[in-house]
Amino acid sequence: MDWTPTRERALDRLARFLPRAGGKYAESRGYDDGPVGTSPGEGGRANVSQLSPWLHAGLIGETEVLEATLRQHSPREAQSFISEVFWRVYFKGWLEQRPSVWESFRETRAAAFARMEGNAGLRTAYQEATGGSTGIAAFDTWARELVEHGYLHNHARMWFASIWIFSLKLDWELGADFFLRHLRDGDAASNTLSWRWVGGLHTAGKTYLARADNIARYTAHRPSGPLAADGLADEAEPLTEAREHGRQPLDLPGPIAPEALAEPYALLLHDEAAHHIPLALPAAPSLVIGAARPELRSPHEVGGPAAQFARGAVASGMEDAGRAFECEGAWWEADGDLGAILDRAGIERVACPYLPTGWTRDALMPQLAPLADDGRIVWLLGDLARSTWPHARAGFFRVKKQIEPILGELGITGANPPADLPG
Ligand SMILES: Cc1cc2nc3c(=O)[nH]c(=O)nc-3n(C[C@H](O)[C@H](O)[C@H](O)COP(=O)(O)OP(=O)(O)OC[C@H]3O[C@@H](n4cnc5c(N)ncnc54)[C@H](O)[C@@H]3O)c2cc1C
């Protein structure tokens, strides 16, 4: 699979996938055919879009993907694919209203790593799980695939998390951390909440149990045949946690008024918003600042594919913006001073794509907050998030019911696919 972290490649991948985004996707999305395929550059999973790394990095937006899908399929045909895209938006909005879940994940992950330090048995079990040598063939295949390719099929992620928690009896936070460090699409909301969902913490009492017959069935088309998974747990008792996570009201920026960016301003591109096109800016920036912090996904080393994708995405976004707006670019490194970059350029204002709960917000907010207090930041948030997040209060069902009205309200009909989409 060609994982080049550019908008151009995202659009190319989208164009190749679109003919399958209707009924074919609904029928076949559960199959994990493995990473090796016959079509050069596309890998072995033609049944799913594999767009998640580009979506996570903001090289392409969810609205653009939905628009392009509806250009080729009716809402009914593409219902299943559209609904999956909304799962991503749902998880983001849900975590935004319960940021203590992210905070608590960071704390309990640190505690789990500390426990492991003092326990040789746990250390060995963790090393076997992450090194792909547990003896559960399917699990070991995915562990190696994740590290090598930086991507796992959705079903494989579910089976893997379930086996990690219920068969290997390892702390879920360590598994979620392993995913975050290696997935190109590693996302604070989708990852943390999916692990919690498998373990029974997201939908209270509901867990996901991996079964060998189900794994064999949905991996049957792999070039080496179905994956075996012997010795799996046959029950999945929900996990529990001491802390309660109350919901806090959303405080979202409104649509951006054109006069807010009338004066010269700097555009900040970051790990979750690496391209200017999905941001639909009302005016051209005078400077583009890039901040990529993939190494902060975890206190432990982040895998090469994930780190390179994240940095590459921001670098390619800066290059495209520099070309489109004929302006300079500057990197804001982890030990750099944003204020000094702005002073040097003589710029007051920064347009900053909204920072959802997660490590990018944790990393950038300490320097952005004082500027925001001085009224120097213009926050950018897309209409899709603004319309969907308020419904992401409980289970996905509430959001699912709103998909049609939201698409109608925002005029997402297929009439406005990304202007630079080929074909
Ligand atoms: C334990 C676990 C951890 C996960 N961690 C992440 C993560 O860190 N980052 C991430 O983006 N997704 C995560 N997912 C969700 C899902 O597995 C991936 O989004 C999906 O596999 C990406 O492949 P795709 O682009 O081919 O998806 P497609 O099937 O083509 O779906 C299209 C898009 O919809 C979104 N989507 C699809 N399924 C889901 C889902 N179940 N939840 C949320 N969004 C979805 C993705 O943005 C995806 O690109 C996780 C799922 C599980 C079970």
Side-chain angles (χ1 to χ4, degrees), residues 261-349:
L261 296 178
E263 303 291 315
Y265 75 94
L267 170 66
L268 180 64
L269 298 178
H270 56 67
D271 298 48
E272 300 204 36
H275 207 279
H276 66 276
I277 292 186
L279 303 172
L281 299 168
S286 306
L287 175 71
V288 182
I289 300 175
R293 303 283 186 269
E295 64 285 356
L296 297 182
R297 290 175 177 208
S298 166
H300 293 262
E301 196 178 342
V302 172
Q308 283 153 22
F309 191 93
R311 279 211 147 250
V314 176
S316 76
M318 286 171 73
E319 215 178 295
D320 285 1
R323 209 177 307 114
F325 302 121
E326 295 179 354
C327 67
E328 294 288 309
W331 278 98
W332 170 22
E333 296 293 354
D335 57 359
D337 180 347
L338 177 62
I341 296 172
L342 295 170
D343 287 350
R344 264 199 305 279
I347 288 179
E348 270 288 305
R349 293 222 132 176

Side-chain angles (χ1 to χ4, degrees), residues 161-175:
S162 176
I163 297 171
W164 181 285
I165 296 170
F166 301 115
S167 300
L168 301 175
K169 305 216 176 293
L170 287 161
D171 289 314
W172 73 268
E173 295 91 338
L174 299 180

Side-chain angles (χ1 to χ4, degrees), residues 113-186:
F113 272 119
R115 239 183 345 267
M116 201 167 69
E117 281 309 306
N119 183 324
L122 272 183
R123 237 177 8 253
T124 304
Y126 175 79
Q127 279 158 3
E128 284 174 359
T130 52
S133 59
T134 63
I136 302 172
F139 183 93
D140 293 344
T141 301
W142 296 317
R144 287 193 294 265
E145 215 172 272
L146 172 61
V147 173
E148 189 183 337
H149 296 277
Y151 175 89
L152 284 181
H153 183 277
N154 179 59
H155 222 159
R157 297 181 199 208
M158 291 163 64
W159 292 315
F160 187 98
S162 176
I163 297 171
W164 181 285
I165 296 170
F166 301 115
S167 300
L168 301 175
K169 305 216 176 293
L170 287 161
D171 289 314
W172 73 268
E173 295 91 338
L174 299 180
D177 177 79
F178 180 51
F179 268 26
L180 268 192
R181 288 192 289 121
H182 291 285
L183 284 171
R184 283 186 169 82
D185 62 34

Side-chain angles (χ1 to χ4, degrees), residues 55-79:
L55 276 167
H56 169 74
L59 288 171
I60 189 166
E62 293 95 350
T63 302
E64 296 180 298
V65 170
L66 295 169
E67 275 283 4
T69 302
L70 289 171
R71 184 170 66 152
Q72 291 199 17
H73 303 277
S74 70
R76 181 186 285 265
E77 265 170 12
Q79 195 177 19

